[in-house]
Every structure is written in C-alpha cells, then in structure tokens.
Amino acid sequence: MPIACRRTALCVALSWAIAAPLAAQSPENEDPSKLDEIKVTAQRYEESLQQVPISITALGEEQFEKLQVERLDDLKKTVPNVIIEQNTGTSSGAKIFLRGVGADESLFTSDPAVGIYIDDVYIPRQTGSQIALYDIERIEVLRGPQGTLYGRNATGGAIRYITRKPDGQTSFRLDGTIGNIDRRDLRATAYLGISDAASAGFAVMTKNRGGYSDNLTTGGDVNDQEVHAMRGSLALEVSDNSKLSVALDALKERSGPGFASCVLRQPLTLARPAINGVVPAPFRYPGCDTDGDLYTLSSNIKDKNDLEQFGASAVLETEFSGATWRNILAYREMDNLLNGDFDGQNAVLLHIFQDQQQDQWSFESQLVGESESLRWVIGGFLFSESNEQPTQQSIFAPGVFEDIRQDTDAYALYGQGSYDFGEAFTFTFGGRYSSEDKDFYKDATCSNGQFTPDGAAFRCSNGQTSYVTRRDDSWSSPDWRLALDYQFSGDLMGYISAATGFKSGGFNGRGGITRSATGVIVDSITVVDEEEVTSYEIGFKSTFADGRVRLNANYYFNDYTDLQLSAIDPAGNFFLRNAADVTIQGVELDLSAMLSDSFQINANLGTIDGEYDSDPSVLVAPGSPTFPNELKQAPELTWSAGFIWDFDLASGGLSWSTSVHFTDEHYQNVANSELIKTESYTLIDTRLGYTPHEGNWEVALVGKNLSDEEYYTGGFDIGGLGIAAVYMNVPRQVGLEFAYRWE
C-alpha cells in the first residue's frame, strides 16, 4: 500500500493543524509569543536547526521534564518514524528501528543500525544502551544514514546525547518521583565553580519500580526495575586557548530480566506451506494463557540480570585562528549476567544463560574551521572492542556450553564542508572511508562435559556436538554526502540531499556446528556481508507568523543493499543473515506553534513504506507459518501531538502539558507472524506542575499511558517448540514529582 495516506483525513488534519515534536530550545526568549531558536551541533559546529539540511529532532532539559522523557525508549513519543523498545529478554537493552531499519539481536556479533553517541563517544552494544536520562543537556536524533560524520554502522540514523558541562557556576538540583507500581526515583546534581580556571559537576540517579507482571509459578512479581548511576565531570582551562574536559560514569543495574507472556488461550494448530511439493505436519501450540491476562505468566527459571558499566573520557579543545582542534579519548567496559526465560511457560522450552564481558577504547580527532564562505570538518576515528560471552541455550534440555568471543578494530577518515556560493545557495559535500576487522572465536562443550581438544567437530554421547572454530574477516567502504540548500528568505530554507551509508559485515554468532550420527557436518556460523544504503531526501524548514509557527517537512527514499536482519527458525535457532535488497520511503512533518504567550502546540507525523526488492525467504526456514511480505518494526504511520500551557495563579505558576502518541500496527518478526503482531496503539501522557512565585521548588502530578493501553513490545513465535510469547508494555503509571533548585 502506498505510504502517504492510507488515512488521508488524519494526515491532512495532523500535518496542517498540529504537527512536530518539541525541540531543544534556548531558555532565553525576549518575546514569549515567539518560538525560541533551536541550536544543534549535528555537523560538529553550533548552528540553528532551521539552517541544517538534515532531518533532526532535538530535545532539551525542559522538554525532558514536561514530556516525561526519562529513558531512551521514551523518545519514540517525540520522534517520527522510530520504534524504541526494551529488547526481548533484557531490561537494559534497547531495540531501535528508525525509518524501518534497525536491529533486535543483542548478541555482540550483530551491530546496531542506529548509532548512539554520548558526547561523541560511540556506544556499540544494544545491551546497556537503554539509557536513563540524568545530567543530560540535550538529545539530537538524526534520521537517515549518517555516512560522513557519524559513519560507524549508522545506516538508519544516530542518537546523540550531550551531557551537561561544568561552566563555572554553582548550582544544586534535587528531583524525585513516587508513584504506583512501587515507583521510587531520585536524581541529584551539583555543580561548583572551583576557581577561574576549574569547575566540576557531580550527578547521581536511582530508578526503582516494582514488577508489573505476576509470575503464577512463584507467586511473585517480575519485570521490575532497579538502576543506580553516577557521573562526575571536571572542566579545566589549561591555557589561554585550550580547555580539558574529563568525565567518569558508572552504572549498576539489578532489574530482573524481561519475562514473556504466552498469547495462546487454547491449543492452536497452524498448517505449514509445502516444501518441494510436500506438506509438512502442522505446527501445534499448546494452550498456556489460562486466564486471558497478559500481565500474568508462568516461569520456572531462577532469573538473573546483573549489569555493570563504567566509562571514562577526556576531551581536549584548542582554539586557533578560525579553527578548533578537538581530541576525544574514551574507555568503556560492561558486564552483563543474564539468565532468562524466553518461552513464557512453566517448562524448559527456551532458556538462555549468558555472561557478557565487554570493553572498548576509542580516539577521535576533529579539526573544525570556518571562514567567510566555508565551514568545514576533517577528522579521524579509531575504535577497538573486545567481547567474551559464555552462553548456554537450552531447548527442552540443557544445551551445549558455548564460549563466544569477538575482537573488533575499526578506523575511519572523514571530511565535510559547506560552501556558501552567495545568492542564498549553500553546497555541502563530504566523504568518509571506513574499515573494520573482526576476529571471531567460538568453542562448544557438550552438557555432559565432553569436548574436543583439537577443534574438530566431535559428536558427544548425548547427541550434541563439541567444536572449536575461529574466523576473521574485514570490510571497508568509501561513503559520501551531498546536499544543496537554498535560503528563499530569512524564514524559509529548502534542501535536497543524497548520501550513502555502510554497516560492516560480521558473523552469525548464535549459529553452531553439528555433526550427525553418520558424520555429516553442518556449519551455520556463516559470514554476513556488509549492508549498504543510498539515501535521497528533499525537504524544507520554515518559520512564519512572525516567529510564532515553525513547520519542517521532508520526503526520504532509502535504497538498501544486503539489509542485515535477524530471525528464528521453527526449531529455535537464532541466525543473522543478509535478507534482501529493500527500498523504504516516506514523509515526515514537524510543526510547533505559539497560539499565545503561554500556550504552545507541538506534534510530528511520519510514514514508512518499505518493500523487499528481492526474495527474503532465505531468512525464513522451511515450514515457517507464513512467508514474509512486510518489513518488521516498520509501522506505516506514527504521529504525536500535544500542548504546553503555562498560566499564573495568585501564589505561583501552573504548567500543564499533555501528549498523545499513535503507532500503527507492525510485525515483530521477519516471518510476519500474526500471533505476535503489535496492533496499533495510542499512548496519552500528562503532567501538571506548580511552582510558587517566591520559591525554588516545584511539585507536579504526572501520568503515563493514562488510558492503560496494552500492546506487544516484542515476541517470539517458534512453532517447532510450541512457543508463542510476547513482551508487554508498562501499564498505566501515575505519581507525584518534586524538584528543588538552588543557584
């Protein structure tokens, strides 16, 4: 079905009556009836959002508070065409799909397609990326492939976190929330001006929530949250033209893993399509949802999900005449111990144990300059990462013990410039060369203790296979970006752009080697080719009605070659492969409007129309319930709309904000299973805050998902194991916020 408007009336009404997310705005505004100017650094230098020929959504501290953006997955309610959910089986992993492209496999042999950056430090793993917001100044979401400046595997887009920096001022802030589901959150930040040349900051955060699902087997609740984190920063003026910023952060999470719920209220039999003219026996699913309540489940596992992270970074900036030289050195490490039940039943159908240890270091050097007609950036990027993960996947019975390791080394050289030709034309051109090398190792020991010392595939007495294997490969790609924008007036800019993107290849890390009783060896640890994309975009950015209305719109067309997707076959085998060539297109609309000095409306709208250009059946093992026809995680329509209304009382001020977010139906897997399909849903959030005229505190009533909408955030349909299980969203949350500020 063509994108644009299956729901024509709705599209027209939203796009011209209320459409774009709140953007990060400057706190200063001389005229309250006008929208504040938005500043971003998406192209490595500060500029107005309305002058950047890129599709960007930006959010600042005020919007985090009023829109209740508290964690990475809350961004789905403010950014068009994005799906961000807690990844299946984990509480700390983030599944991100932007414009229909992303990754939902958390094993480190699968790289994300949407890059995450914290102060320009790349975060490569899904595990641990479900970032809770504290001490964050701004978030910028760049839609579409970022092949030049943010080129590492960012074929879908990039999410940039910009933390708050010490600025020599002394301030203190304390925020907390209490609410239903036993919610208890607390955040504190302190900044101190030590001297004229030194200042420091410190922030701590704890987020706690009880479980929102009941485990009928144990009688306890599951799907809870417990996160504790801290961050320290130091800013030093090391010379007249140089400054050094140092940051340390640490996180400890003891949330339980994600538990799935069975979706079958009675036994179900599904026919399977013919294979080479032979019709296989049908899939038979047992009935396991005995009460019809998807927030109850049965699990017989002793769950575990311990996560610890540490990071350190140093940024040295030196100012020259007309240029800034920025060097970023960073180190990060992560440990995650997970024991999860993925079948949603009180039986050993699919249990996974894994103990991941990850560390990385990176260095990036950027030289940013500006002259009368040219703004430019040149840079180099080095990255090295090591992962090791003992794993056991148990299907009906304990599986083999696997030790999976991968070392990755990557580097890139890049440059981009924007040249002003006069006559309101600006031409942007850029290039990047990326190279990656991966060294993969895996050994397997049978669950009865038998193993092969020489690496040859050895069939154990229990029918499992023991083996040792090592693979290495490398990939490289030149990428480019071109854009032409024209300033029709001071308030209207139009642009057209084309860019390429590259996601490195890899290995099917969850695959294995089997040896049959007759000696036949099957190796499913296959090599995955690189994913490439060419993207085209045309759009405009406008401000009118004397600065009271901002309307931005764009059309995009992305052409993917060898799109990487993960899937599960009917026997419960996970695999990563190149699915097919895919084209994806759509439109995005953003509008903000000040209807009065105190009333602002905001919304966004996005559409996705994705089609396989070649047969992706390689991803669907013979006998799957259905064959693929639509991209997974690609709803045809998403939109959000809301308002912020500030008004005075005799004793203080009230601020009321409400937002509504709609996501169209979409499939959770490549096979387009109807059993675990996410139906369309609408979320309603609201916040009513009070601040006294003579005081530095605030109190607010808050509510998220007020209509108590239920929808699937993920799921598994594995017919050969009798599994049809889904992960549920967090139900209605209401609470009381408080804040104290001292400056």
Side-chain angles (χ1 to χ4, degrees):
M1 179 176 296
I3 48 175
C5 267
R6 191 177 54 154
R7 300 166 175 82
T8 305
L10 177 60
C11 290
V12 173
L14 284 171
S15 41
W16 294 105
I18 51 173
L22 273 168
Q25 299 174 2
S26 169
E28 296 85 11
N29 188 355
E30 297 180 358
D31 187 346
S33 68
K34 296 183 178 181
L35 294 166
D36 297 317
E37 184 179 15
I38 305 164
K39 295 290 187 179
V40 296
T41 55
Q43 298 191 115
R44 307 292 194 185
Y45 41 77
E46 185 177 279
E47 56 190 329
S48 170
L49 174 69
Q50 297 302 97
Q51 306 300 317
V52 185
I54 301 174
S55 299
I56 306 175
T57 296
L59 297 170
E61 289 182 279
E62 181 181 357
Q63 286 71 47
F64 301 154
E65 178 181 282
K66 293 186 177 181
L67 296 181
Q68 301 183 70
V69 178
E70 301 165 335
R71 204 172 69 157
L72 177 65
D73 52 355
D74 285 324
L75 288 176
K76 66 177 177 285
K77 294 181 283 190
T78 64
V79 179
N81 282 336
V82 68
I83 294 291
I84 307 179
E85 299 291 356
Q86 187 170 296
N87 210 347
T88 50
T90 73
S91 58
S92 62
K95 173 180 66 179
I96 309 173
F97 280 73
L98 188 51
R99 290 180 173 175
V101 172
D104 51 9
E105 164 61 273
S106 61
L107 185 65
F108 49 79
T109 53
S110 173
D111 289 316
V114 179
I116 297 177
Y117 297 82
I118 301 178
D119 291 334
D120 288 338
V121 176
Y122 178 64
I123 308 299
R125 296 294 123 233
Q126 288 188 41
T127 301
S129 64
Q130 190 66 267
I131 301 169
L133 271 62
Y134 76 107
D135 201 35
I136 301 295
E137 176 185 295
R138 186 174 74 254
I139 296 177
E140 297 173 3
V141 182
L142 287 63
R143 302 190 292 274
Q146 305 298 314
T148 302
L149 300 181
Y150 307 91
R152 183 160 198 266
N153 297 328
T155 53
I159 299 175
R160 303 183 63 230
Y161 286 80
I162 296 92
T163 65
R164 186 179 173 187
K165 308 297 189 302
D167 58 4
Q169 303 299 312
T170 298
S171 64
F172 173 78
R173 175 166 177 158
L174 180 69
D175 299 86
T177 306
I178 56 174
N180 68 325
I181 324 180
D182 198 23
R183 181 182 177 187
R184 294 158 287 118
D185 299 346
L186 191 65
R187 300 185 305 274
T189 57
Y191 285 86
L192 177 66
I194 301 173
S195 67
D196 291 341
S199 55
F202 186 74
V204 294
M205 179 270 294
T206 177
K207 289 181 70 67
N208 301 271
R209 190 200 64 235
Y212 57 82
S213 296
D214 296 322
N215 186 352
L216 301 179
T217 302
T218 64
D221 59 59
V222 293
N223 294 328
D224 59 312
Q225 182 183 51
E226 181 185 343
V227 183
H228 313 283
M230 61 77 63
R231 177 180 174 82
S233 54
L234 179 66
L236 300 172
E237 299 286 345
V238 296
S239 70
D240 290 342
N241 64 338
S242 296
K243 61 181 180 180
L244 175 67
S245 300
V246 179
L248 301 173
D249 67 86
L251 179 142
K252 177 180 179 180
E253 180 168 2
R254 292 297 182 265
S255 308
F259 279 82
S261 301
C262 177
V263 293
L264 297 172
R265 298 186 179 181
Q266 58 186 5
L268 177 66
T269 299
L270 289 180
R272 293 192 284 179
I275 303 173
N276 298 325
V278 178
V279 179
F283 282 124
R284 301 189 186 280
Y285 300 85
C288 50
D289 182 14
T290 57
D291 60 4
D293 184 356
L294 291 177
Y295 289 96
T296 63
L297 54 92
S298 296
S299 176
N300 61 336
I301 201 170
K302 185 176 181 180
D303 62 285
K304 196 75 171 177
N305 185 35
D306 294 349
L307 174 73
E308 296 183 0
Q309 291 180 299
F310 170 78
S313 65
V315 180
L316 179 64
E317 290 187 336
T318 303
E319 298 287 343
F320 300 102
S321 177
T324 300
W325 187 21
R326 182 182 300 117
N327 293 283
I328 307 162
L329 179 64
Y331 170 81
R332 299 195 66 83
E333 63 181 31
M334 174 185 66
D335 294 331
N336 179 228
L337 177 63
L338 173 69
N339 193 31
D341 186 340
F342 290 74
D343 53 54
Q345 301 179 45
N346 187 18
V348 181
L349 300 185
L350 178 59
H351 292 179
I352 297 178
F353 167 85
Q354 56 191 42
D355 187 7
Q356 180 182 3
Q357 295 90 43
Q358 182 260 6
D359 63 77
Q360 66 180 77
W361 70 266
S362 61
F363 175 72
E364 187 163 5
S365 186
Q366 307 166 0
L367 188 61
V368 183
E370 183 173 1
S371 62
E372 183 176 348
S373 301
L374 178 67
R375 291 176 297 177
W376 51 271
V377 180
I378 58 174
F381 172 72
L382 296 174
F383 176 83
S384 181
E385 180 189 18
S386 295
N387 282 277
E388 181 176 0
Q389 180 173 296
T391 298
Q392 183 182 35
Q393 179 173 310
S394 299
I395 298 177
F396 297 128
V400 296
F401 295 98
E402 301 173 320
D403 185 18
I404 310 172
R405 307 176 196 175
Q406 181 171 282
D407 294 331
T408 301
D409 293 304
Y411 74 88
L413 298 173
Y414 60 85
Q416 180 171 297
S418 295
Y419 186 80
D420 183 2
F421 283 96
E423 301 298 327
F425 277 107
T426 300
F427 179 58
T428 299
F429 50 95
R432 183 184 185 103
Y433 179 79
S434 302
S435 178
E436 303 220 1
D437 181 83
K438 294 180 179 179
D439 191 348
F440 174 84
Y441 168 92
K442 187 173 185 178
D443 69 54
T445 302
C446 296
S447 58
N448 62 5
Q450 290 181 279
F451 68 99
T452 174
D454 59 4
F458 169 76
R459 183 175 173 85
C460 301
S461 60
N462 62 1
Q464 296 174 345
T465 304
S466 173
Y467 60 89
V468 177
T469 185
R470 183 169 182 171
R471 321 282 172 89
D472 67 85
D473 211 331
S474 60
W475 302 266
S476 61
S477 176
D479 289 293
W480 49 265
R481 180 173 186 269
L482 302 174
L484 182 66
D485 61 82
Y486 183 76
Q487 199 71 41
F488 293 94
S489 68
D491 296 327
L492 176 61
M493 184 266 283
Y495 69 91
I496 185 170
S497 68
T500 64
F502 159 77
K503 181 179 175 183
S504 66
F507 306 94
N508 178 31
R510 292 199 191 270
I513 299 175
T514 60
R515 184 184 182 106
S516 71
T518 59
V520 177
I521 296 176
V522 177
D523 186 348
S524 63
I525 307 176
T526 51
V527 176
V528 180
D529 293 332
E530 65 268 24
E531 172 183 303
E532 297 177 330
V533 59
T534 303
S535 174
Y536 307 93
E537 187 169 313
I538 184 171
F540 68 85
K541 298 187 176 185
S542 64
T543 305
F544 54 94
D546 195 25
R548 295 190 298 273
V549 180
R550 181 184 298 123
L551 175 64
N552 300 335
N554 64 271
Y555 164 78
Y556 66 89
F557 182 92
N558 296 337
D559 186 3
Y560 285 87
T561 301
D562 289 329
L563 182 70
Q564 298 174 11
L565 288 176
S566 58
I568 308 173
D569 71 13
N573 298 307
F574 292 71
F575 51 89
L576 174 70
R577 293 181 185 170
N578 298 104
D581 298 341
V582 174
T583 55
I584 305 174
Q585 59 181 324
V587 296
E588 294 161 342
L589 299 168
D590 293 310
L591 170 104
S592 295
M594 293 295 300
L595 301 187
S596 71
D597 292 358
S598 59
F599 191 82
Q600 181 177 352
I601 60 172
N602 311 271
N604 64 69
L605 180 145
T607 67
I608 299 174
D609 179 22
E611 295 182 357
Y612 291 105
D613 296 333
S614 55
D615 184 6
S617 59
V618 65
L619 267 175
V620 184
S624 294
T626 61
F627 288 103
N629 46 46
E630 294 185 24
L631 290 174
K632 65 176 179 179
Q633 310 293 346
E636 288 189 2
L637 175 67
T638 60
W639 59 262
S640 299
F643 67 83
I644 294 180
W645 186 15
D646 298 314
F647 48 96
D648 284 332
L649 302 176
S651 59
L654 285 178
S655 179
W656 181 22
S657 54
T658 295
S659 63
V660 181
H661 170 73
F662 172 83
T663 296
D664 213 344
E665 62 185 21
H666 54 279
Y667 289 102
Q668 289 291 337
N669 64 351
V670 175
N672 285 189
S673 168
E674 295 290 336
L675 288 173
I676 60 172
K677 178 181 178 180
T678 297
E679 301 295 339
S680 60
Y681 62 87
T682 303
L683 302 177
I684 303 173
D685 299 345
T686 194
R687 182 182 186 275
L688 180 63
Y690 170 78
T691 304
H693 288 316
E694 302 296 331
N696 49 7
W697 56 270
E698 182 185 19
V699 64
L701 294 172
V702 295
K704 301 180 76 170
N705 188 15
L706 288 182
S707 60
D708 205 19
E709 192 89 338
E710 298 181 5
Y711 64 94
Y712 304 161
T713 64
F716 294 105
D717 180 4
I718 310 175
L721 306 184
I723 294 175
V726 297
Y727 294 83
M728 299 302 299
N729 66 303
V730 181
R732 179 192 296 118
Q733 296 182 82
V734 293
L736 180 68
E737 285 184 355
F738 62 88
Y740 172 82
R741 305 174 182 85
W742 180 82
E743 297 181 351

